[in-house]
Amino acid sequence: MSDDTIKVTKVDPKSTPERTSEWPIIIPRVDIIEREDALYLVADMPGADEEKIDINVEKNVLTITGKMANQEFEGYQQVLDEFDSGDYHRSFSLSNEVDQSGIEATMKDGVLRLFLPKAKEAVPRKITIKTG
């Protein structure tokens, strides 16, 4: 990455209010891909219910939260439980180079995809030299 890339950093848990939950907190794994005009954030959130995912931006902090749908099998007794269950939570600090009003999200097959467009001022451009 070059020195002029957009900074997206993890938020220090000590700087955010403590959360309480009856479920364990799961930190989803994330990939961030950069292009000239945008960033793409891909979060792995298997078992998350699309209707229970919240994405918020407040004070330049992007926060993703979600609830995992609990699977129950009626008429069966569970003998072994190795799948994690709990609430998803992940936060990132955004620089002013992200156009926060243009952020879009899609979810498919347990994968959340966020499109974070760069502000027009942050997109590289070529300056032509005028003669005369």
Side-chain angles (χ1 to χ4, degrees), residues 73-91:
F73 301 98
E74 195 172 314
Y76 293 89
Q77 177 182 356
Q78 189 159 0
V79 182
L80 181 64
D81 183 9
E82 291 186 339
F83 288 98
D84 289 333
S85 59
D87 296 337
Y88 287 106
H89 185 87
R90 189 81 187 257
S91 294

Side-chain angles (χ1 to χ4, degrees), residues 94-109:
L94 299 178
S95 73
N96 290 332
E97 294 180 9
V98 173
D99 177 6
Q100 295 179 10
S101 65
I103 296 174
E104 297 176 5
T106 60
M107 178 86 170
K108 183 177 178 185
D109 298 329

Side-chain angles (χ1 to χ4, degrees), residues 33-49:
I33 299 119
E34 183 175 16
R35 288 189 357 193
E36 275 192 20
D37 61 340
L39 292 169
Y40 293 89
L41 187 146
V42 181
D44 192 24
M45 300 177 71
D49 184 351

Side-chain angles (χ1 to χ4, degrees), residues 10-30:
K10 291 190 249 183
V11 173
D12 180 4
K14 296 174 188 160
S15 68
T16 58
E18 185 175 339
R19 290 191 59 217
T20 58
S21 174
E22 61 186 72
W23 294 92
I25 302 298
I26 300 169
I27 300 170
R29 293 184 179 270
V30 171

